[in-house]
Amino acid sequence: MALINDYGSISAAAKQMKMSYRRAWQLVDEVNKCFDQPLVASSVGGSHGGGAKLTEFGVKVLENYHALIAKSQEASVQELAFIRAHLKSPIESIN
């Protein structure tokens, strides 16, 4: 969703993710249906071009999602350190 907002386009965001436009559009449609209000607003192309952007609600959901991830990572530091300490070979990619 953040890429849609960054690029102002579902198509451009899909290209950045190496995803087909059709799949990206399906995901946007699905996420919009999951909430009581849309997260992404889009307009059809034409002489002035189309585009897409996050709604105010979409921005709020994205901000809350990022906050949730950050809090989850902070809360799990000790547990992850314990698990890492007892692995036979270190794993560097776990955050």
Side-chain angles (χ1 to χ4, degrees):
M1 285 193 339
L3 287 176
I4 291 172
N5 220 38
D6 291 347
Y7 288 95
S9 161
I10 295 171
S11 178
K15 285 179 187 174
Q16 285 296 311
M17 296 177 66
K18 296 180 178 26
M19 178 186 296
S20 73
Y21 171 78
R22 176 175 157 66
R23 179 68 180 138
W25 190 92
Q26 288 173 331
L27 290 171
V28 167
D29 186 51
E30 190 66 32
V31 79
N32 275 344
K33 288 177 181 176
C34 288
F35 289 88
D36 61 2
Q37 51 191 302
L39 278 65
V40 177
S42 60
S43 59
V44 178
S47 60
H48 299 310
K53 65 177 185 173
L54 296 184
T55 61
E56 277 188 49
F57 180 68
V59 170
K60 253 334 212 183
V61 168
L62 191 59
E63 289 171 350
N64 277 269
Y65 172 76
H66 286 300
L68 174 68
I69 296 301
K71 287 179 183 179
S72 297
Q73 288 175 336
E74 290 171 19
S76 63
V77 168
Q78 289 179 333
E79 292 81 2
L80 284 173
F82 175 84
I83 291 168
R84 281 186 180 137
H86 294 278
L87 289 172
K88 289 183 178 181
S89 60
I91 297 177
E92 298 176 16
S93 62
I94 297 177
N95 292 328

